Amino acid sequence: MTTPIAAAASFRPIEPISPMATPAVAPGAAVQGAAPGGFGALLDKIASTEQAANTAGVDTVTGKITNLQDFTAAAAKAQLSVQLTVALRNRAVEAYNEIMRMQV
Amino acid sequence: MGYLDAIDTARSGATLASTWLDAISDNIANANTIRGAGQEPYRARTVIASSDAEGKGVHVAGVQVASGTPDVSYDPTNPLADEKGYVTLPKVDMNEQMTNLVVAQRLYQMNINAMAAARDMAQTALSIGAKQ
């Protein structure tokens, strides 16, 4: 039979609250550093896809491109890229709003 | 961007079908092109397909020209006929051309359908978890 005191001693003592870890880089610098590799790079790619679709469209109506599938494929790719961007942006804003609604 | 690769692959297939259709159209247009006897006749052209590396689709590798000796026809009233009255007929098999025409048309349609399927699949993936 164990004594009540001995049973209580088996629990871990409460750890003191440690200070929050400071971020390795300043918030502003972190956002700037992340932009070219992440969303910024995606936006650049989207912009070039859109540009290609525009060029293909102009070439088609001015008679430079003689096969229509080149233009429609470029247009489909640009459409998908824009849809991807909008979907990502919507999710990001949604997540941000979710956090902003948090009760403190 | 991997999800766009299928569109480019299907586009290369559609371009091949379109080029093939050009060749068939040329063959049919020249089905009555008669040359003088002993001259080289018009010969039907067929597009040779070759696959691109790494599953990136297909491209036109070359053009095959129909071989074989051409038929001659006795047509003394033709200004191109030789002194015996013979002309050289084009080396175009119309049955083959019409069959190829259907195949090329269907090939084009299938590639466009594959392109649409790739687009629909990407759009479906984008709608995962989206609000209605």
Side-chain angles (χ1 to χ4, degrees), chain A:
Chain A
M1 181 182 167
T2 54
T3 59
I5 306 289
S10 67
F11 288 112
R12 274 173 58 211
I14 297 169
E15 288 176 8
I17 297 168
S18 58
M20 284 175 67
T22 49
V25 284
V31 169
Q32 265 186 345
F39 208 64
L42 180 70
L43 284 181
D44 283 348
K45 218 158 199 175
I46 304 304
S48 67
T49 314
E50 188 79 8
Q51 184 68 37
N54 282 336
T55 312
V58 169
D59 285 355
T60 306
V61 294
T62 51
K64 274 187 201 165
I65 286 184
T66 47
N67 46 359
L68 292 172
Q69 68 269 11
D70 280 359
F71 165 62
T72 44
K77 286 201 290 189
Q79 186 193 8
L80 276 177
S81 302
V82 171
Q83 281 176 348
L84 172 66
T85 319
V86 172
L88 285 175
R89 176 246 175 228
N90 285 347
R91 301 298 156 78
V93 171
E94 213 173 284
Y96 176 77
N97 283 339
E98 204 67 41
I99 287 173
M100 287 303 284
R101 276 199 292 271
M102 191 167 26
Q103 298 286 331
V104 282

Coordinates of all heavy atoms in Angstrom, one line a residue, chain A:
Chain A
M1 N 0.8 -1.2 0.0 CA 0.0 0.0 0.0 C 0.9 1.3 0.0 O 1.8 1.4 0.8 CB -0.9 0.0 1.2 CG -1.8 1.2 1.3 SD -2.8 1.1 2.9 CE -3.4 2.7 2.9
T2 N 0.6 2.2 -0.9 CA 1.4 3.4 -1.0 C 0.8 4.5 -0.2 O -0.5 4.6 -0.1 CB 1.5 3.9 -2.5 OG1 0.2 4.0 -3.0 CG2 2.3 2.9 -3.3
T3 N 1.6 5.3 0.3 CA 1.1 6.4 1.1 C 0.7 7.5 0.1 O 1.3 7.6 -1.0 CB 2.2 6.9 2.0 OG1 3.3 7.3 1.3 CG2 2.6 5.8 3.0
P4 N -0.3 8.4 0.6 CA -0.7 9.5 -0.3 C 0.5 10.4 -0.7 O 0.6 10.9 -1.8 CB -1.7 10.2 0.5 CG -2.2 9.2 1.5 CD -1.1 8.3 1.8
I5 N 1.4 10.6 0.2 CA 2.5 11.5 -0.1 C 3.4 11.0 -1.2 O 3.8 11.6 -2.2 CB 3.4 11.8 1.2 CG1 2.5 12.3 2.3 CG2 4.5 12.8 0.9 CD1 2.0 13.7 2.2
A6 N 3.7 9.7 -1.1 CA 4.6 9.1 -2.1 C 3.9 9.1 -3.5 O 4.6 9.3 -4.5 CB 4.9 7.6 -1.7
A7 N 2.6 8.9 -3.6 CA 1.9 9.0 -4.9 C 2.0 10.3 -5.5 O 2.2 10.5 -6.7 CB 0.4 8.6 -4.7
A8 N 1.9 11.4 -4.7 CA 2.0 12.7 -5.2 C 3.3 13.0 -5.8 O 3.5 13.8 -6.7 CB 1.6 13.7 -4.1
A9 N 4.4 12.4 -5.2 CA 5.7 12.7 -5.6 C 6.0 12.2 -7.0 O 7.0 12.6 -7.6 CB 6.7 12.1 -4.6
S10 N 5.2 11.2 -7.4 CA 5.5 10.6 -8.8 C 5.1 11.5 -9.9 O 5.5 11.4 -11.0 CB 4.7 9.3 -8.9 OG 3.4 9.5 -8.9
F11 N 4.2 12.5 -9.6 CA 3.8 13.5 -10.6 C 5.0 14.4 -10.9 O 5.8 14.8 -10.1 CB 2.6 14.3 -10.2 CG 1.4 13.5 -10.2 CD1 0.7 13.3 -9.0 CD2 0.8 13.1 -11.3 CE1 -0.4 12.5 -8.9 CE2 -0.4 12.4 -11.3 CZ -1.0 12.1 -10.1
R12 N 5.0 14.8 -12.2 CA 6.1 15.8 -12.6 C 5.8 17.2 -12.0 O 4.6 17.6 -12.0 CB 6.2 15.9 -14.1 CG 7.0 14.9 -14.8 CD 6.9 14.9 -16.3 NE 7.3 16.3 -16.8 CZ 6.8 16.8 -17.9 NH1 5.8 16.2 -18.5 NH2 7.2 18.0 -18.3
P13 N 6.8 17.8 -11.5 CA 6.5 19.2 -11.0 C 6.1 20.1 -12.2 O 6.5 19.9 -13.3 CB 7.8 19.6 -10.4 CG 8.9 18.8 -11.1 CD 8.2 17.5 -11.4
I14 N 5.4 21.1 -11.8 CA 5.0 22.1 -12.9 C 6.2 22.9 -13.3 O 6.9 23.4 -12.5 CB 3.9 23.1 -12.3 CG1 2.7 22.3 -11.9 CG2 3.6 24.2 -13.3 CD1 1.7 23.1 -11.1
E15 N 6.3 22.9 -14.7 CA 7.5 23.6 -15.2 C 7.2 25.1 -15.2 O 6.1 25.5 -15.5 CB 7.8 23.1 -16.6 CG 8.4 21.7 -16.7 CD 8.6 21.2 -18.1 OE1 8.4 22.0 -19.0 OE2 9.0 20.0 -18.2
P16 N 8.2 25.9 -15.0 CA 8.0 27.3 -15.1 C 7.8 27.7 -16.5 O 8.3 27.1 -17.5 CB 9.3 28.0 -14.5 CG 10.3 26.9 -14.8 CD 9.6 25.6 -14.6
I17 N 6.9 28.8 -16.7 CA 6.6 29.3 -18.1 C 7.9 29.9 -18.7 O 8.5 30.8 -18.1 CB 5.5 30.3 -18.1 CG1 4.2 29.6 -17.5 CG2 5.3 30.9 -19.4 CD1 3.1 30.6 -17.2
S18 N 8.3 29.3 -19.8 CA 9.5 29.8 -20.5 C 9.1 31.0 -21.3 O 8.0 31.0 -21.9 CB 10.2 28.7 -21.3 OG 9.3 28.2 -22.2
P19 N 10.0 31.9 -21.5 CA 9.7 33.1 -22.4 C 9.5 32.6 -23.8 O 10.1 31.6 -24.3 CB 10.9 34.0 -22.2 CG 12.0 33.1 -21.8 CD 11.4 32.1 -20.9
M20 N 8.6 33.3 -24.6 CA 8.4 32.9 -26.0 C 9.7 33.0 -26.8 O 10.5 34.0 -26.6 CB 7.4 33.8 -26.6 CG 5.9 33.5 -26.2 SD 4.8 34.7 -26.8 CE 4.8 34.3 -28.5
A21 N 9.9 32.1 -27.6 CA 11.1 32.1 -28.4 C 11.1 33.3 -29.4 O 10.1 33.5 -30.1 CB 11.3 30.8 -29.2
T22 N 12.2 34.0 -29.5 CA 12.2 35.2 -30.4 C 12.5 34.7 -31.8 O 13.2 33.7 -32.0 CB 13.3 36.1 -30.0 OG1 14.5 35.4 -29.8 CG2 13.0 36.9 -28.7
P23 N 11.8 35.2 -32.8 CA 12.0 34.8 -34.2 C 13.5 35.0 -34.6 O 14.1 36.0 -34.2 CB 11.0 35.6 -35.0 CG 10.7 36.8 -34.1 CD 10.8 36.3 -32.7
A24 N 14.0 34.2 -35.4 CA 15.4 34.3 -35.9 C 15.6 35.5 -36.7 O 16.7 36.1 -36.7 CB 15.7 33.0 -36.7
V25 N 14.6 35.9 -37.5 CA 14.7 37.1 -38.3 C 13.5 38.0 -38.0 O 12.5 37.6 -37.5 CB 14.7 36.8 -39.8 CG1 16.0 36.2 -40.3 CG2 13.6 35.8 -40.1
A26 N 13.7 39.3 -38.3 CA 12.7 40.3 -38.1 C 11.5 39.9 -39.0 O 11.7 39.5 -40.1 CB 13.2 41.7 -38.3
P27 N 10.2 40.2 -38.5 CA 9.1 39.8 -39.3 C 9.1 40.4 -40.7 O 8.8 39.8 -41.7 CB 7.9 40.4 -38.5 CG 8.4 40.4 -37.1 CD 9.8 40.7 -37.2
G28 N 9.5 41.7 -40.8 CA 9.5 42.4 -42.1 C 10.5 41.7 -43.1 O 10.2 41.4 -44.2
A29 N 11.7 41.4 -42.5 CA 12.7 40.7 -43.4 C 12.3 39.3 -43.8 O 12.5 38.9 -44.9 CB 14.0 40.6 -42.6
A30 N 11.5 38.6 -42.9 CA 11.1 37.3 -43.2 C 10.1 37.3 -44.4 O 10.3 36.5 -45.3 CB 10.4 36.6 -42.0
V31 N 9.2 38.3 -44.4 CA 8.2 38.3 -45.5 C 8.9 38.7 -46.8 O 8.7 38.1 -47.8 CB 7.1 39.4 -45.1 CG1 6.3 39.7 -46.3 CG2 6.3 38.9 -44.0
Q32 N 9.9 39.6 -46.7 CA 10.6 40.0 -47.9 C 11.4 38.9 -48.5 O 11.5 38.7 -49.7 CB 11.5 41.2 -47.6 CG 10.9 42.5 -47.9 CD 11.9 43.7 -47.7 OE1 12.9 43.5 -47.1 NE2 11.5 44.8 -48.2
G33 N 12.0 38.1 -47.6 CA 12.8 37.0 -48.0 C 12.0 35.8 -48.6 O 12.5 35.2 -49.5
A34 N 10.8 35.7 -48.1 CA 10.0 34.5 -48.6 C 9.3 34.8 -49.9 O 9.0 33.9 -50.6 CB 8.9 34.2 -47.5
A35 N 9.0 36.1 -50.2 CA 8.2 36.5 -51.3 C 8.8 36.0 -52.7 O 8.0 35.4 -53.4 CB 8.0 38.0 -51.4
P36 N 10.1 36.1 -53.0 CA 10.5 35.7 -54.3 C 10.4 34.2 -54.5 O 10.2 33.8 -55.6 CB 12.0 36.2 -54.3 CG 12.1 37.2 -53.2 CD 11.1 36.8 -52.2
G37 N 10.6 33.4 -53.5 CA 10.5 32.0 -53.7 C 9.1 31.4 -53.6 O 8.9 30.3 -54.1
G38 N 8.2 32.1 -53.0 CA 6.9 31.6 -52.8 C 5.8 32.2 -53.7 O 5.8 31.9 -54.9
F39 N 5.0 33.0 -53.1 CA 3.9 33.5 -53.9 C 4.3 34.5 -55.0 O 3.7 34.5 -56.0 CB 3.0 34.3 -52.9 CG 1.5 34.3 -53.3 CD1 0.8 33.2 -53.4 CD2 0.9 35.5 -53.6 CE1 -0.5 33.2 -53.7 CE2 -0.4 35.5 -54.0 CZ -1.1 34.4 -54.1
G40 N 5.4 35.2 -54.7 CA 5.9 36.1 -55.7 C 6.4 35.4 -57.0 O 6.1 35.8 -58.1
A41 N 7.1 34.3 -56.8 CA 7.5 33.5 -57.9 C 6.3 33.0 -58.7 O 6.3 32.9 -60.0 CB 8.4 32.4 -57.5
L42 N 5.3 32.5 -58.0 CA 4.1 32.0 -58.6 C 3.5 33.1 -59.5 O 3.1 32.9 -60.6 CB 3.1 31.5 -57.6 CG 1.9 30.9 -58.1 CD1 2.1 29.6 -58.8 CD2 0.8 30.7 -57.0
L43 N 3.4 34.3 -58.8 CA 2.8 35.4 -59.6 C 3.5 35.7 -60.8 O 2.9 36.0 -61.9 CB 2.7 36.7 -58.7 CG 1.6 36.6 -57.6 CD1 1.6 37.9 -56.8 CD2 0.2 36.4 -58.2
D44 N 4.9 35.7 -60.7 CA 5.7 35.9 -61.9 C 5.4 34.9 -63.0 O 5.3 35.3 -64.2 CB 7.2 35.9 -61.6 CG 7.6 37.1 -60.8 OD1 6.9 38.1 -60.8 OD2 8.8 37.1 -60.3
K45 N 5.2 33.7 -62.6 CA 5.0 32.6 -63.6 C 3.6 32.8 -64.2 O 3.4 32.6 -65.4 CB 5.0 31.2 -62.9 CG 5.6 30.1 -63.7 CD 6.1 29.0 -62.8 CE 7.1 28.2 -63.5 NZ 7.7 27.1 -62.7
I46 N 2.6 33.2 -63.4 CA 1.3 33.4 -63.8 C 1.3 34.5 -64.9 O 0.7 34.5 -65.9 CB 0.3 33.8 -62.7 CG1 0.3 32.8 -61.6 CG2 -1.1 34.1 -63.2 CD1 -0.1 31.5 -61.9
A47 N 2.1 35.6 -64.5 CA 2.1 36.8 -65.4 C 2.7 36.4 -66.8 O 2.2 36.8 -67.8 CB 3.0 37.9 -64.8
S48 N 3.7 35.5 -66.8 CA 4.4 35.1 -68.0 C 3.4 34.2 -68.8 O 3.3 34.3 -70.1 CB 5.7 34.4 -67.8 OG 5.5 33.2 -67.1
T49 N 2.6 33.3 -68.1 CA 1.7 32.5 -68.8 C 0.6 33.3 -69.5 O 0.2 33.1 -70.6 CB 1.0 31.5 -67.8 OG1 2.0 30.9 -67.0 CG2 0.3 30.4 -68.5
E50 N 0.1 34.3 -68.7 CA -0.9 35.3 -69.2 C -0.4 36.0 -70.4 O -1.1 36.2 -71.4 CB -1.3 36.2 -68.1 CG -2.5 37.1 -68.4 CD -3.8 36.4 -68.2 OE1 -3.8 35.3 -67.7 OE2 -4.8 36.9 -68.6
Q51 N 0.9 36.4 -70.3 CA 1.5 37.2 -71.4 C 1.6 36.3 -72.7 O 1.3 36.8 -73.8 CB 2.9 37.6 -71.0 CG 3.7 38.4 -72.0 CD 3.0 39.8 -72.2 OE1 2.6 40.4 -71.2 NE2 3.0 40.3 -73.4
A52 N 1.9 35.0 -72.5 CA 2.0 34.1 -73.6 C 0.7 33.9 -74.2 O 0.5 33.9 -75.5 CB 2.6 32.7 -73.1
A53 N -0.4 33.8 -73.4 CA -1.7 33.7 -73.9 C -2.1 34.9 -74.7 O -2.8 34.8 -75.8 CB -2.7 33.4 -72.8
N54 N -1.8 36.1 -74.2 CA -2.1 37.3 -74.9 C -1.4 37.4 -76.2 O -2.0 37.7 -77.3 CB -1.7 38.5 -74.0 CG -2.7 38.8 -72.9 OD1 -3.9 38.4 -73.1 ND2 -2.3 39.4 -71.9
T55 N -0.1 37.0 -76.2 CA 0.6 37.1 -77.5 C 0.0 36.1 -78.5 O -0.1 36.4 -79.7 CB 2.1 36.7 -77.2 OG1 2.6 37.4 -76.1 CG2 3.0 36.9 -78.4
A56 N -0.3 34.9 -78.0 CA -0.9 33.9 -78.9 C -2.3 34.4 -79.4 O -2.6 34.1 -80.6 CB -1.1 32.5 -78.1
G57 N -3.0 35.1 -78.6 CA -4.3 35.6 -79.1 C -4.1 36.6 -80.2 O -4.8 36.6 -81.2
V58 N -3.2 37.5 -79.9 CA -2.9 38.6 -80.9 C -2.4 37.9 -82.2 O -2.8 38.3 -83.3 CB -1.9 39.6 -80.4 CG1 -1.4 40.5 -81.5 CG2 -2.5 40.4 -79.3
D59 N -1.5 37.0 -82.1 CA -1.0 36.3 -83.3 C -2.0 35.5 -84.0 O -2.0 35.5 -85.3 CB 0.1 35.3 -82.8 CG 1.4 36.0 -82.5 OD1 1.5 37.2 -82.6 OD2 2.4 35.3 -82.0
T60 N -3.0 35.0 -83.3 CA -4.1 34.3 -84.0 C -5.0 35.2 -84.8 O -5.3 34.9 -86.0 CB -4.9 33.5 -83.0 OG1 -4.1 32.7 -82.2 CG2 -5.9 32.6 -83.7
V61 N -5.4 36.3 -84.2 CA -6.3 37.2 -84.9 C -5.6 38.0 -86.0 O -6.3 38.4 -86.9 CB -7.0 38.2 -83.9 CG1 -7.9 37.4 -83.0 CG2 -6.1 39.0 -83.2
T62 N -4.3 38.1 -85.9 CA -3.6 38.8 -87.0 C -3.1 37.8 -88.0 O -2.4 38.3 -89.0 CB -2.4 39.6 -86.4 OG1 -1.6 38.8 -85.6 CG2 -2.9 40.8 -85.6
G63 N -3.3 36.5 -87.8 CA -3.0 35.6 -88.8 C -1.6 35.0 -88.7 O -1.1 34.3 -89.6
K64 N -0.9 35.3 -87.7 CA 0.5 34.8 -87.5 C 0.5 33.3 -87.1 O 1.3 32.5 -87.6 CB 1.3 35.6 -86.5 CG 1.9 36.8 -87.1 CD 2.9 37.5 -86.0 CE 3.1 38.9 -86.3 NZ 3.7 39.7 -85.2
I65 N -0.4 33.0 -86.2 CA -0.6 31.6 -85.8 C -1.7 31.0 -86.7 O -2.8 31.5 -86.8 CB -0.9 31.4 -84.3 CG1 0.3 31.7 -83.5 CG2 -1.5 30.0 -84.1 CD1 0.0 31.5 -82.0
T66 N -1.4 29.9 -87.4 CA -2.3 29.4 -88.3 C -3.1 28.2 -87.7 O -4.1 27.8 -88.2 CB -1.7 28.9 -89.6 OG1 -0.5 28.2 -89.3 CG2 -1.3 30.1 -90.5
N67 N -2.6 27.6 -86.6 CA -3.3 26.5 -86.0 C -3.9 27.0 -84.7 O -3.3 27.6 -83.8 CB -2.5 25.3 -85.7 CG -1.1 25.6 -85.1 OD1 -0.8 26.8 -84.9 ND2 -0.3 24.6 -84.9
L68 N -5.2 26.8 -84.5 CA -6.0 27.3 -83.4 C -5.7 26.7 -82.1 O -5.8 27.3 -81.1 CB -7.5 27.2 -83.7 CG -8.0 28.0 -84.9 CD1 -9.4 27.6 -85.2 CD2 -7.9 29.5 -84.5
Q69 N -5.2 25.4 -82.1 CA -5.0 24.7 -80.9 C -3.9 25.4 -80.1 O -3.9 25.3 -78.8 CB -4.7 23.2 -81.1 CG -3.4 22.9 -81.8 CD -3.6 22.8 -83.3 OE1 -4.6 23.2 -83.8 NE2 -2.6 22.3 -83.9
D70 N -2.9 26.0 -80.7 CA -1.9 26.7 -80.0 C -2.5 27.8 -79.1 O -2.1 28.0 -78.0 CB -0.8 27.3 -80.9 CG 0.1 26.2 -81.4 OD1 0.0 25.1 -81.0 OD2 1.0 26.6 -82.2
F71 N -3.4 28.6 -79.7 CA -4.0 29.7 -78.9 C -4.9 29.1 -77.8 O -4.8 29.6 -76.7 CB -4.8 30.6 -79.9 CG -5.7 31.5 -79.1 CD1 -5.2 32.4 -78.2 CD2 -7.1 31.4 -79.3 CE1 -6.0 33.3 -77.5 CE2 -7.9 32.2 -78.6 CZ -7.4 33.2 -77.7
T72 N -5.7 28.2 -78.1 CA -6.7 27.7 -77.1 C -5.9 27.0 -76.0 O -6.3 27.1 -74.8 CB -7.7 26.7 -77.7 OG1 -7.1 25.8 -78.6 CG2 -8.8 27.5 -78.5
A73 N -4.8 26.3 -76.3 CA -4.0 25.7 -75.2 C -3.4 26.7 -74.4 O -3.4 26.6 -73.1 CB -2.9 24.8 -75.8
A74 N -2.9 27.8 -75.0 CA -2.3 28.9 -74.2 C -3.3 29.6 -73.3 O -3.1 29.9 -72.2 CB -1.6 29.9 -75.1
A75 N -4.5 29.8 -73.9 CA -5.6 30.4 -73.1 C -6.0 29.5 -72.0 O -6.3 30.0 -70.9 CB -6.8 30.7 -74.1
A76 N -6.1 28.2 -72.2 CA -6.5 27.3 -71.1 C -5.5 27.3 -70.0 O -5.8 27.3 -68.8 CB -6.7 25.9 -71.7
K77 N -4.2 27.4 -70.4 CA -3.1 27.4 -69.4 C -3.2 28.7 -68.6 O -3.0 28.6 -67.3 CB -1.8 27.2 -70.0 CG -1.5 25.8 -70.5 CD 0.0 25.5 -70.7 CE 0.6 26.3 -71.9 NZ 1.9 25.9 -72.1
A78 N -3.4 29.8 -69.2 CA -3.5 31.0 -68.5 C -4.7 31.1 -67.6 O -4.6 31.5 -66.4 CB -3.6 32.2 -69.5
Q79 N -5.8 30.5 -68.1 CA -7.0 30.5 -67.3 C -6.8 29.6 -66.0 O -7.1 30.1 -64.9 CB -8.2 29.9 -68.1 CG -9.5 29.9 -67.4 CD -10.5 29.0 -68.1 OE1 -10.1 28.3 -69.1 NE2 -11.8 29.1 -67.7
L80 N -6.2 28.5 -66.2 CA -5.9 27.6 -65.0 C -4.9 28.3 -64.0 O -5.1 28.2 -62.8 CB -5.3 26.3 -65.5 CG -6.2 25.2 -66.0 CD1 -5.5 24.0 -66.5 CD2 -7.1 24.8 -64.8
S81 N -3.9 29.0 -64.6 CA -3.0 29.6 -63.7 C -3.7 30.7 -62.9 O -3.4 30.8 -61.7 CB -1.8 30.3 -64.5 OG -1.2 29.3 -65.3
V82 N -4.5 31.5 -63.5 CA -5.2 32.5 -62.8 C -6.1 31.9 -61.7 O -6.2 32.4 -60.6 CB -6.0 33.4 -63.8 CG1 -6.9 34.4 -63.0 CG2 -5.0 34.2 -64.6
Q83 N -6.8 30.8 -62.1 CA -7.7 30.2 -61.1 C -6.9 29.7 -59.9 O -7.4 29.7 -58.8 CB -8.4 29.0 -61.8 CG -9.6 29.5 -62.6 CD -10.3 28.4 -63.4 OE1 -9.8 27.3 -63.4 NE2 -11.4 28.6 -63.9
L84 N -5.7 29.1 -60.2 CA -4.8 28.7 -59.1 C -4.5 29.8 -58.2 O -4.5 29.7 -57.0 CB -3.6 28.0 -59.7 CG -2.5 27.6 -58.7 CD1 -3.0 26.5 -57.8 CD2 -1.3 27.2 -59.4
T85 N -4.1 31.0 -58.8 CA -3.7 32.1 -58.0 C -4.9 32.6 -57.1 O -4.7 32.9 -55.9 CB -3.3 33.3 -58.9 OG1 -2.5 32.7 -60.0 CG2 -2.5 34.3 -58.2
V86 N -6.0 32.7 -57.7 CA -7.2 33.1 -57.0 C -7.6 32.2 -55.9 O -7.9 32.6 -54.8 CB -8.4 33.3 -58.0 CG1 -9.7 33.6 -57.2 CG2 -8.1 34.5 -58.9
A87 N -7.4 30.9 -56.2 CA -7.7 29.9 -55.1 C -6.8 30.0 -54.0 O -7.2 30.0 -52.8 CB -7.7 28.5 -55.7
L88 N -5.5 30.2 -54.3 CA -4.5 30.3 -53.2 C -4.7 31.6 -52.4 O -4.7 31.6 -51.2 CB -3.1 30.4 -53.8 CG -2.5 29.0 -54.3 CD1 -1.2 29.2 -55.0 CD2 -2.3 28.1 -53.1
R89 N -5.0 32.7 -53.1 CA -5.3 33.9 -52.4 C -6.5 33.8 -51.5 O -6.5 34.3 -50.4 CB -5.5 35.0 -53.5 CG -5.8 36.4 -53.0 CD -7.2 36.7 -53.4 NE -7.7 38.0 -52.8 CZ -8.8 38.1 -52.2 NH1 -9.7 37.1 -52.1 NH2 -9.2 39.3 -51.7
N90 N -7.6 33.2 -52.0 CA -8.8 33.0 -51.2 C -8.5 32.2 -50.0 O -9.0 32.6 -48.9 CB -9.9 32.3 -52.0 CG -10.5 33.2 -53.1 OD1 -10.2 34.4 -53.0 ND2 -11.2 32.7 -54.0
R91 N -7.7 31.1 -50.1 CA -7.4 30.3 -48.9 C -6.6 31.1 -47.9 O -6.8 31.1 -46.7 CB -6.6 29.1 -49.3 CG -7.3 28.2 -50.2 CD -8.6 27.6 -49.7 NE -9.5 27.2 -50.8 CZ -9.4 26.1 -51.5 NH1 -8.4 25.3 -51.2 NH2 -10.2 25.9 -52.5
A92 N -5.6 31.9 -48.4 CA -4.8 32.7 -47.6 C -5.6 33.7 -46.8 O -5.5 33.9 -45.6 CB -3.7 33.4 -48.4
V93 N -6.5 34.4 -47.5 CA -7.3 35.5 -46.9 C -8.3 34.8 -45.9 O -8.5 35.3 -44.8 CB -8.1 36.3 -47.9 CG1 -9.1 37.2 -47.3 CG2 -7.1 37.1 -48.8
E94 N -8.8 33.6 -46.3 CA -9.7 32.9 -45.4 C -9.0 32.6 -44.1 O -9.6 32.8 -43.0 CB -10.1 31.6 -46.1 CG -11.5 31.2 -45.8 CD -11.9 30.0 -46.7 OE1 -12.1 30.2 -47.9 OE2 -11.8 28.9 -46.2
A95 N -7.8 32.0 -44.2 CA -7.0 31.7 -43.0 C -6.7 32.9 -42.1 O -6.9 32.9 -40.9 CB -5.7 31.0 -43.4
Y96 N -6.4 34.0 -42.8 CA -6.1 35.2 -42.0 C -7.4 35.7 -41.3 O -7.3 36.1 -40.1 CB -5.6 36.3 -43.0 CG -5.4 37.6 -42.4 CD1 -4.3 37.9 -41.7 CD2 -6.3 38.7 -42.6 CE1 -4.0 39.1 -41.1 CE2 -6.1 39.9 -42.0 CZ -5.0 40.1 -41.3 OH -4.7 41.3 -40.7
N97 N -8.5 35.7 -42.0 CA -9.8 36.1 -41.4 C -10.1 35.2 -40.2 O -10.6 35.7 -39.2 CB -10.9 36.1 -42.4 CG -10.8 37.3 -43.3 OD1 -10.2 38.3 -43.0 ND2 -11.4 37.2 -44.5
E98 N -9.9 33.9 -40.4 CA -10.2 33.0 -39.3 C -9.4 33.3 -38.0 O -9.9 33.3 -36.9 CB -9.8 31.6 -39.8 CG -10.5 30.5 -39.1 CD -12.0 30.5 -39.4 OE1 -12.4 30.7 -40.6 OE2 -12.8 30.3 -38.5
I99 N -8.1 33.7 -38.2 CA -7.3 34.1 -37.0 C -7.8 35.4 -36.5 O -7.8 35.6 -35.3 CB -5.8 34.1 -37.5 CG1 -5.3 32.7 -37.7 CG2 -5.0 34.8 -36.4 CD1 -4.0 32.6 -38.3
M100 N -8.2 36.3 -37.4 CA -8.6 37.6 -36.9 C -9.9 37.5 -36.1 O -10.2 38.3 -35.2 CB -8.9 38.6 -38.1 CG -7.6 39.1 -38.7 SD -6.5 39.9 -37.5 CE -7.3 41.5 -37.4
R101 N -10.7 36.5 -36.3 CA -12.0 36.3 -35.6 C -11.8 35.6 -34.3 O -12.7 35.5 -33.5 CB -12.9 35.5 -36.5 CG -13.7 36.3 -37.5 CD -14.9 35.5 -37.9 NE -14.6 34.3 -38.7 CZ -14.4 34.4 -40.0 NH1 -14.6 35.5 -40.7 NH2 -14.1 33.3 -40.7
M102 N -10.5 35.2 -34.0 CA -10.3 34.5 -32.8 C -10.5 35.4 -31.5 O -10.1 36.5 -31.5 CB -8.8 34.0 -32.7 CG -8.6 33.0 -31.6 SD -7.1 32.1 -31.8 CE -6.0 33.1 -32.7
Q103 N -11.3 34.8 -30.6 CA -11.6 35.5 -29.3 C -10.3 35.5 -28.4 O -9.7 34.5 -28.2 CB -12.7 34.9 -28.6 CG -14.0 34.9 -29.4 CD -14.7 36.2 -29.4 OE1 -14.5 37.0 -28.5 NE2 -15.4 36.5 -30.5
V104 N -10.0 36.7 -27.9 CA -8.9 36.8 -27.0 C -9.4 37.3 -25.6 O -10.4 38.0 -25.5 CB -7.7 37.7 -27.5 CG1 -6.9 36.9 -28.5 CG2 -8.3 38.9 -28.0

